[in-house]
Amino acid sequence: MRPTNEEQDKKGARVRFPPPLIFIICMLLGFALQYSLPMKISASWDSIYLGGALMLLALLCVLYLSRVFNRLNTHIEPWKPTSRIISTGLYGYSRNPIYVAFAVFTIGTGLMVNSLWVMVSFLPASIAVYLVAIKKEEVYLEHKFGEEYLNYKEKVRRWF
């Protein structure tokens, strides 16, 4: 017997691994590479301040977006069902502003700790998040919202 749409929706996009952990794991690998094969960016205070500013901006973005999800009574977690497509605010510029914020946080961390390895760890993390989460989210949203999501997808870029 095939599950109903309602039963399928209870599982959301079926993302099995939390995307923030992917970024954290990649940053930790960047720190490990930095320890074993150092690649510094620069030793200036400017990069430290810029890194801190990027990290703060990313954190504020995620906090703001979590409040948006809460206010609109839908789930931020990709393994839970969503009740609507958010297409305004930051979602009017990127279909994945939270993942963009995670990438910006990673870049900021790399600048702040003066590590090229940590800074570029956002690249494999972003690819992994695409494969682990975004592809499943897009299929789920297209199946659930149909034409509404396809129109949104046509107007707004995935990343930025």
Side-chain angles (χ1 to χ4, degrees):
M1 180 178 221
R2 249 181 138 191
T4 65
N5 283 345
E6 188 177 311
E7 289 170 342
Q8 286 178 331
D9 189 44
K10 287 182 182 178
K11 296 181 181 177
R14 296 178 183 241
V15 173
R16 305 256 187 258
F17 198 82
L21 282 181
I22 294 171
F23 280 92
I24 291 168
I25 289 168
C26 286
M27 278 196 296
L28 290 173
L29 290 172
F31 278 111
L33 281 168
Q34 183 65 29
Y35 178 76
S36 60
L37 191 66
M39 290 188 68
K40 297 186 183 278
I41 300 167
S42 79
S44 75
W45 284 101
D46 292 344
S47 65
I48 293 171
Y49 289 133
L50 177 60
L54 289 174
M55 291 170 70
L56 181 61
L57 177 67
L59 284 173
L60 291 173
C61 180
V62 171
L63 289 173
Y64 166 74
L65 290 170
S66 67
R67 290 191 64 194
V68 169
F69 273 80
N70 193 33
R71 189 180 74 240
L72 294 175
N73 201 27
T74 192
H75 295 286
I76 196 170
E77 304 91 347
W79 51 87
K80 293 183 179 178
T82 188
S83 60
R84 63 177 45 175
I85 295 172
I86 302 172
S87 59
T88 58
L90 293 175
Y91 281 92
Y93 300 99
S94 169
R95 295 194 313 261
N96 299 290
I98 294 173
Y99 300 148
V100 171
F102 292 161
V104 169
F105 185 87
T106 303
I107 293 166
T109 302
L111 285 169
M112 194 157 185
V113 300
N114 193 19
S115 170
L116 184 62
W117 290 116
V118 173
M119 188 172 88
V120 299
S121 72
F122 86 92
L123 290 168
S126 298
I127 292 166
V129 164
Y130 171 75
L131 296 171
V132 169
I134 294 173
K135 280 176 68 173
K136 291 178 181 180
E137 291 172 356
E138 289 182 344
V139 169
Y140 166 75
L141 293 170
E142 189 173 325
H143 179 74
K144 180 168 182 170
F145 296 103
E147 198 66 33
E148 180 186 0
Y149 181 69
L150 291 174
N151 290 336
Y152 171 66
K153 194 173 167 182
E154 191 175 295
K155 293 176 189 169
V156 179
R157 295 178 180 191
R158 179 176 289 131
W159 292 99
F160 57 88

